[in-house]
Amino acid sequence: MKLSVVIPIYNEKETIRAIHAAVQAVPIDKEIILVDDYSTDGTREILNELASPSTRVLLHERNMGKGAALRTGFGNVLGDIVIIQDADLEYDPQEYAKLTRPILEGKADVVYGSRFVTGEYRRVLFFWHMLGNKFLTLLSNMMTNMNLTDMETCYKVFRREVLENITIEENRFGFEPEITAKIAKMNVRIYEVGISYSGRTYKEGKKIGWKDGVAALKCILKYNLLR
């Protein structure tokens, strides 16, 4: 089965070459889809260098957000399995094998990579980010009747058929609770796999903030109660 790796990008000139090389190094049949959300720091020029038969580059003509970039990427995948990969170096592509295993073994349709149920390493960083994540995951679980431990994780893996039945509406980080609410309403099998995590600081380029947490809270209510 072929893997489609969708990488949403915004101003990641310091890491894009490294993450692209790390994804390429994974010994799995795959395509890489780089979606640039109107970067202004020189990232686009680097993407032109990375384009190849196995790496497609898609460009937004204005900045719209991570959800919008993923919507563009999902609309162009050719693989049987689709995985989201952030453009920073917080998540390790060497874990693709264990993330896709439940799907390849016929047990799952969707897999979440959890940073909290894991025997792997993770960088110790922000307490309030962790607390906010756990609160949003708890509220999401209360609405969906699921027992996820990391709703906000980047690593979400889907059989392509699942994504073909979902329309992504959120343009920014509201994508995470939106997709979770929508798959919860489908007759699909969802698994979690423990992953490592090398989080970065704001000085190192982290972008998500408290306003995104408030937006995620609104999206949990919107897609679970109002739809």
Side-chain angles (χ1 to χ4, degrees):
M1 299 181 81
K2 186 171 186 176
L3 180 67
S4 292
V5 183
V6 178
I7 307 180
I9 305 160
Y10 179 65
N11 288 350
E12 296 288 1
K13 70 175 183 178
E14 301 299 330
T15 61
I16 187 59
R17 285 191 180 93
I19 194 62
H20 180 261
V23 173
Q24 277 192 317
V26 178
I28 296 176
D29 182 26
K30 61 188 173 298
E31 64 170 356
I32 302 172
I33 301 176
L34 305 174
V35 186
D36 184 72
D37 193 35
Y38 203 66
S39 293
T40 57
D41 68 340
T43 298
R44 288 200 163 196
E45 289 71 23
I46 297 172
L47 296 183
N48 291 332
E49 302 170 15
L50 301 179
S52 71
S54 61
T55 297
R56 283 183 283 154
V57 175
L58 306 175
L59 304 176
H60 282 179
E61 294 309 313
R62 61 186 177 91
N63 178 254
M64 294 189 288
K66 180 178 180 179
L70 289 172
R71 182 167 61 242
T72 296
F74 293 163
N76 286 272
V77 297
L78 300 175
D80 306 289
I81 300 174
V82 181
I83 187 167
I84 301 168
Q85 172 70 58
D86 279 352
D88 52 35
L89 300 174
E90 293 187 336
Y91 294 83
D92 184 1
Q94 287 299 318
E95 297 186 311
Y96 288 174
K98 68 177 179 179
L99 283 162
T100 58
R101 188 176 301 125
I103 295 177
L104 293 174
E105 292 179 351
K107 297 177 180 178
D109 303 298
V110 178
V111 177
Y112 277 42
S114 174
R115 295 165 288 181
F116 302 114
V117 176
T118 176
E120 303 292 339
Y121 64 84
R122 64 185 179 91
R123 185 178 180 183
V124 176
L125 279 175
F126 306 115
F127 169 78
W128 291 109
H129 272 229
M130 179 272 293
L131 194 63
N133 190 336
K134 287 184 177 293
F135 171 73
L136 292 172
T137 298
L138 174 64
L139 183 60
S140 175
N141 284 343
M142 291 171 65
M143 299 291 180
T144 61
N145 195 30
M146 298 197 298
N147 63 343
L148 290 170
T149 63
D150 193 3
M151 180 269 292
E152 292 280 350
T153 181
C154 156
Y155 271 166
K156 293 179 173 70
V157 190
F158 310 89
R159 289 176 55 248
R160 188 179 68 192
E161 292 83 357
V162 173
L163 288 178
E164 288 174 344
N165 288 290
I166 295 175
T167 299
I168 301 303
E169 301 171 56
E170 294 299 316
N171 283 341
R172 288 185 54 78
F173 292 103
F175 162 82
E176 314 291 358
E178 177 192 359
I179 194 75
T180 302
K182 289 181 175 180
I183 63 172
K185 295 175 182 178
M186 302 170 67
N187 184 29
V188 297
R189 301 161 298 171
I190 305 167
Y191 271 58
E192 272 191 328
V193 171
I195 59 168
S196 61
Y197 180 62
S198 300
R200 60 181 179 173
T201 66
Y202 286 101
K203 184 177 180 180
E204 293 166 334
K206 193 171 189 68
K207 297 182 177 70
I208 194 167
W210 67 269
K211 291 182 180 179
D212 296 300
V214 173
L217 176 60
K218 292 179 180 178
C219 287
I220 291 172
L221 300 176
K222 175 181 177 180
Y223 291 103
N224 285 286
L225 294 181
L226 304 180
R227 293 295 180 86

